[in-house]
Amino acid sequence: PETRWRVTEEDQETYKRYGKLKKLAEHALRMTSTAQAPWIVVEGLDERYRNLTVGTVLLNALKERLEQKTPKPVTAESAPLVDVRQGVNLLDRLDLAKKLDRKDYDEEFAKWQGQLARLTRNPKFEKIAVVAAFEGNDAAGKGGAIRRVTSALDARGYDAYPVAAPTEEERAQPYLWRFWRHVPRKGRIAIFDRTWYGRVLVERVEGFCSVTDWMRAYGEINDFEERLFGHGVVVAKFWLSISKDEQYKRFKEREKTAFKRFKITPEDWRNREKWDEYVDAVCDMVDRTSTEHAPWTLVEANDKYYARVKILKTLCERIEAAL
């Protein structure tokens, strides 16, 4: 009763438009968060967390500015990275223990493969296109998941692009060029095994580009995906996540299995040494580039059965919504 006066009829009408306002807010934040005036998005459900986070960000900003004798020049167009996770990151919140037994997997797998086949044969599918982007830890099962997707598709209707280090021709172009040229026409699917997100992952962690370059890339990638969405392309992005222990187990299995041994290289072992750096890069990537028109799907991939079904189901739901 003592706070009832604060909820007006106008507030009730605004609440009814929550979904529309949320989409507009996401777009506005993405387009106006700059290095000079960044937006800080704070989870507001818990009052203590909200107040502490806002106070911490404000205090750190004031300290940083007071320690500068003169304002430092801005060298990146994106808003600066702000670490308010306090030891908790997005990947830690995934329940990697999720799994399916073989019987449930066979039923769910057949169901969603069949659904994917039907959706891509729907006459309305000729009016859209699909870009399926796969990223993840080494040995997370990207290749296996992609094979399960493509086995449900007409081979004439899709192209798969395994992405490795850029060639000399590709390095002579803007980094998005080698992906732009593979954007599918309507009625087709393009599947990328590794993607343009290498700019803010491996290139960031390994120092293959400057801080300015990979910071600027967040905005460039969002613009790229927004243009795809505007032209009727469904952008489905999957991050396959496994634990460090599970990765070690899979590496060892590859070494012991003759026909899998080619998959494990000294580079894979070296990348494990930078596990924490890659975790930070992934969290920043998802935070900056999971948008209303191109959201990230985080896949718990310790169990390959569970991961494959989740990917198929999500892809079907995204295509069905577009149709």
Side-chain angles (χ1 to χ4, degrees):
E2 64 270 15
T3 60
R4 189 175 298 151
W5 62 272
R6 301 178 67 176
V7 184
T8 65
E9 291 184 4
E10 184 179 354
D11 293 330
Q12 296 287 3
E13 290 299 315
T14 300
Y15 175 72
K16 293 177 183 179
R17 298 192 297 272
Y18 181 86
K20 294 181 179 179
L21 292 170
K22 179 173 178 288
K23 288 185 178 181
L24 289 173
E26 289 174 341
H27 181 77
L29 292 177
R30 189 174 67 255
M31 299 303 293
T32 60
S33 192
T34 64
Q36 297 88 344
W39 284 101
I40 307 299
V41 180
V42 180
E43 295 176 345
L45 183 62
D46 181 78
E47 180 180 0
R48 293 177 180 176
Y49 174 82
R50 178 191 67 211
N51 295 344
L52 180 61
T53 300
V54 171
T56 301
V57 171
L58 182 58
L59 178 61
N60 290 340
L62 289 170
K63 284 182 176 178
E64 182 181 356
R65 179 61 186 90
L66 291 172
E67 290 171 359
Q68 298 173 19
K69 293 183 179 179
T70 57
K72 60 182 179 181
V74 175
T75 57
E77 295 177 7
S78 292
L81 302 176
V82 179
D83 185 10
V84 295
R85 292 189 288 271
Q86 299 179 351
V88 178
N89 66 61
L90 190 65
L91 301 184
D92 283 343
R93 300 184 183 186
L94 296 178
D95 181 6
L96 298 181
K98 289 183 177 179
K99 61 189 306 182
L100 287 175
D101 60 37
R102 185 58 193 247
K103 181 181 179 181
D104 290 338
Y105 168 72
D106 288 341
E107 293 177 359
E108 290 292 302
F109 181 71
K111 170 186 174 181
W112 292 109
Q113 268 206 332
Q115 178 71 346
L116 181 59
R118 287 189 291 272
L119 289 170
T120 54
R121 287 165 173 77
N122 188 316
K124 294 181 180 179
F125 189 76
E126 294 299 319
K127 297 181 180 180
I128 67 171
V130 176
V131 167
F134 288 83
E135 291 281 0
N137 302 116
D138 292 333
K142 295 183 294 299
I146 290 171
R147 287 194 296 274
R148 271 68 182 182
V149 171
T150 57
S151 62
L153 303 174
D154 187 329
R156 298 168 296 179
Y158 74 88
D159 293 289
Y161 303 101
V163 176
T167 63
E168 288 299 319
E169 177 191 22
E170 291 168 340
R171 287 167 61 183
Q173 309 287 343
Y175 74 98
L176 283 173
W177 173 81
R178 64 175 174 151
F179 304 105
W180 261 118
R181 60 180 178 158
H182 296 311
V183 171
R185 69 175 186 268
K186 291 187 175 181
R188 292 188 62 82
I189 299 174
I191 300 172
F192 291 90
D193 184 352
R194 302 284 189 192
T195 68
W196 43 95
Y197 283 97
R199 189 69 158 189
V200 296
L201 293 175
V202 64
E203 292 185 37
R204 165 184 169 172
V205 174
E206 302 297 338
F208 293 151
C209 66
S210 69
V211 174
T212 299
D213 287 337
W214 62 258
M215 283 288 289
R216 186 176 63 245
Y218 295 121
E220 294 170 341
I221 288 171
N222 285 336
D223 289 343
F224 168 52
E225 292 173 351
E226 187 169 16
R227 286 183 176 86
L228 294 180
F229 174 78
H231 285 276
V233 179
V234 176
V235 183
K237 304 183 298 192
F238 300 96
W239 174 265
L240 279 68
S241 185
I242 59 176
S243 67
K244 196 172 184 179
D245 290 341
E246 178 66 20
Q247 186 188 65
Y248 181 80
K249 176 183 174 183
R250 294 184 185 184
F251 279 5
K252 284 299 184 182
E253 288 176 352
R254 288 181 175 184
E255 288 184 333
K256 295 176 182 178
T257 308
F259 67 89
K260 291 183 177 181
R261 200 167 294 147
F262 75 96
K263 293 183 176 182
I264 186 72
T265 67
E267 189 75 8
D268 295 320
W269 288 108
R270 191 182 67 83
N271 287 342
R272 270 180 62 84
E273 298 175 3
K274 297 186 177 181
W275 179 275
D276 291 339
E277 294 176 57
Y278 275 103
V279 167
D280 288 341
V282 172
C283 291
D284 291 332
M285 173 191 76
V286 174
D287 181 48
R288 298 262 173 149
T289 62
S290 194
T291 60
E292 70 273 18
H293 53 260
W296 276 100
T297 298
L298 304 181
V299 182
E300 302 87 343
N302 268 13
D303 181 68
K304 292 182 179 181
Y305 289 166
Y306 179 86
R308 291 165 184 172
V309 168
K310 182 172 182 177
I311 289 168
L312 282 167
K313 179 182 178 181
T314 302
L315 192 56
C316 288
E317 290 172 345
R318 295 292 311 282
I319 294 174
E320 191 169 13
L323 294 180

